[in-house]
Amino acid sequence: MMELNLDPEVTRYVPDGPFEHVSKAMGLIESLRAQFAERKIGRFLVIEKATGRKLGWCGLKWIEETKEIDLGYRFLRSSWGKGFALEAAQACLSYGFNTLNFEKITAQIMPTNKASIALAKKLGMKEAYRVIEDDVEFIGFEIQSSKISTL
């Protein structure tokens, strides 16, 4: 978590920015563990099969304010553009729809984050709304379980 969140390019589209202290990373990890215990979802470590190298994380998260399941991911820059995010996100959508029987999964993406917008569209997600949170604009993408055919 610290390595990912120390890189300003990795956190460029993250509203809370880079972690300044290990305690912030540990707090995030603890909240993710609690959410997994309660809801069986979370942000999961992504590891390259061939090398065992840690690439980043991907997963689902319950957003209490909107009562939505959010798809999110973060990868080391050295992993960008190699299909890892697509593969991991597809697995997470499959898990959410086919194992946990969610009806809808969302993703909030800053309009300037062209790579994540392209990934959301590859996944079959459609723009559903726009929202401003803490003076930051996000596009809300969503996908319904009935739209999943290839996962």
Side-chain angles (χ1 to χ4, degrees):
M1 285 293 187
M2 276 306 289
E3 184 179 358
L4 278 170
N5 287 289
L6 283 175
D7 184 339
E9 279 302 304
V10 171
T11 59
R12 183 172 162 190
Y13 301 110
V14 179
D16 54 356
F19 289 167
E20 295 175 12
H21 302 285
V22 171
S23 61
K24 190 168 180 181
M26 293 306 298
L28 175 59
I29 290 168
E30 288 307 313
S31 71
L32 294 172
R33 285 179 176 159
Q35 190 164 106
F36 185 80
E38 180 182 342
R39 298 184 179 273
K40 301 298 180 228
I41 60 174
R43 308 300 202 193
F44 300 106
L45 181 64
V46 177
I47 299 171
E48 185 176 22
K49 290 178 191 175
T51 65
R53 186 172 62 104
K54 295 173 186 168
L55 306 175
W57 58 257
C58 183
L60 304 174
K61 179 181 174 185
W62 173 250
I63 306 296
E64 182 62 38
E65 297 80 18
T66 59
K67 309 289 190 237
E68 294 178 329
I69 302 298
D70 173 72
L71 172 67
Y73 48 86
R74 201 168 296 169
F75 287 86
L76 295 170
R77 252 194 287 180
S78 61
S79 301
W80 292 0
K82 298 178 181 172
F84 296 121
L86 177 62
E87 183 179 352
Q90 287 173 326
C92 290
L93 290 177
S94 178
Y95 174 69
F97 289 131
N98 300 325
T99 301
L100 299 177
N101 299 309
F102 294 142
E103 293 182 18
K104 176 178 78 171
I105 295 174
T106 64
Q108 287 192 353
I109 304 170
M110 291 180 183
T112 52
N113 190 344
K114 303 302 182 195
S116 285
I117 290 171
L119 177 59
K121 290 178 179 180
K122 274 186 189 177
L123 293 167
M125 301 182 98
K126 304 290 183 205
E127 184 176 336
Y129 60 88
R130 289 187 179 240
V131 65
I132 296 177
E133 295 176 3
D134 299 323
D135 296 324
V136 178
E137 182 181 11
F138 292 93
I139 303 171
F141 285 84
E142 64 182 41
I143 187 167
Q144 305 287 330
S145 63
S146 62
K147 301 297 181 192
I148 300 297
S149 60
T150 60
L151 298 179

